[in-house]
Amino acid sequence: MSRKLCRVAVLISGSGTNLQALIDAAGERAGFSICAVISNRPGAYGLVRATEAGIPASVVDHRDYPDRESFDSALMAEIDRHTPDLVVLAGFMRILTSEFVRHYSGRLLNIHPSLLPKYQGLHTHQRALEAGDSEHGATVHFVTEELDGGPAIVQALVPVQAEDSAELLAKRVQVQEHKIYPLAVTWFARGRLRMVEDRSELDGELLPRSGKKITGAC
């Protein structure tokens, strides 16, 4: 008898390359299915990816709401209509209200293009280059009310090369994002991963505060 698949709702704002990585990974082996893709931007190419994969796709346009609270309320209603077990932010470019984050506490994941706690916010690749860092990368973490500050789950480390521009570095980091995000979702789907207060726990053991480290090959 096969185990019930974990239902994952994915929130996007743009092209959806991390969404595509999750679509490609989903299935019995990974233990999860994608039950919905929701965008705050009607023209997001990720909606096309979802439709082509036969996944219900919808839009909750933030421009239709007078404030962040009313938008998040509408977004929660659309998400909950699909009864997900996990909500995944995949390039979702909105700051979420405390009410939204609390509603999905312990079952809300994000991926951020830096080795958190370094470089919270935007322009992470340029900031890493300007700081002279020897390595950069991406972090999957649980979402809490602190922006990019929730418990880390897994980090992919990417060496910074002498000829790197922000664009070149971003491309190499993105390759690793497409590996570690499906990995973290699979851990959650299989019951191996959970948030315990301000830490991530994998297979019953607390992870380091920076998460499990994976060295990128590029």
Side-chain angles (χ1 to χ4, degrees):
M1 180 176 171
S2 61
R3 179 175 174 173
K4 176 180 174 289
L5 295 181
C6 175
R7 292 172 59 82
V8 178
V10 183
L11 307 187
I12 63 167
S13 294
S15 66
T17 61
N18 272 307
L19 165 64
Q20 188 64 56
L22 293 167
I23 291 172
D24 293 344
E28 290 284 346
R29 186 173 181 180
F32 72 89
S33 64
I34 300 176
C35 63
V37 172
I38 305 166
S39 175
N40 67 306
R41 294 178 178 168
Y45 184 70
L47 295 168
V48 176
R49 297 180 190 271
T51 300
E52 289 179 346
I55 300 167
S58 60
V59 175
V60 181
D61 192 335
H62 64 278
R63 295 171 298 182
D64 293 339
Y65 298 89
D67 51 42
R68 191 176 293 166
E69 289 73 20
S70 57
F71 167 70
D72 277 12
S73 179
L75 182 59
M76 284 189 287
E78 177 61 16
I79 294 169
D80 290 349
R81 187 171 69 83
H82 298 278
T83 62
D85 303 299
L86 177 68
V87 179
V88 170
L89 309 179
F92 186 67
M93 303 303 290
R94 297 287 298 174
I95 295 175
L96 298 165
T97 60
S98 296
E99 181 184 0
F100 184 100
V101 172
R102 287 195 297 265
H103 184 67
Y104 299 106
S105 179
R107 54 193 187 103
L108 181 61
L109 301 186
N110 183 45
I111 190 163
H112 184 74
S114 79
L115 299 176
L116 292 172
K118 278 189 171 183
Y119 313 131
Q120 295 167 313
L122 301 174
H123 311 300
T124 60
H125 311 300
Q126 186 62 42
R127 290 159 69 190
L129 291 175
E130 289 173 355
D133 291 351
S134 61
E135 62 183 9
H136 187 44
T139 306
V140 180
H141 64 95
F142 283 103
V143 177
T144 62
E145 293 177 53
E146 180 187 353
L147 180 65
D148 299 327
I153 299 164
V154 58
Q155 290 188 329
L157 278 59
V158 175
V160 177
Q161 299 176 359
E163 67 275 15
D164 270 335
S165 64
E167 293 75 18
L168 286 172
L169 185 55
K171 287 179 181 178
R172 299 209 323 282
V173 169
Q174 192 175 65
V175 170
Q176 301 305 318
E177 289 180 22
H178 297 166
K179 297 176 182 179
I180 63 172
Y181 218 177
L183 178 63
V185 173
T186 296
W187 287 343
F188 185 95
R190 295 207 169 279
R192 298 175 57 191
L193 172 70
R194 65 177 185 142
M195 186 171 77
V196 181
E197 296 181 357
D198 64 342
R199 299 285 293 276
S200 296
E201 182 184 274
L202 181 64
D203 297 330
E205 295 188 4
L206 290 176
L207 290 170
R209 291 197 178 274
S210 57
K212 186 177 179 67
K213 297 286 195 300
I214 294 177
T215 302
C218 59

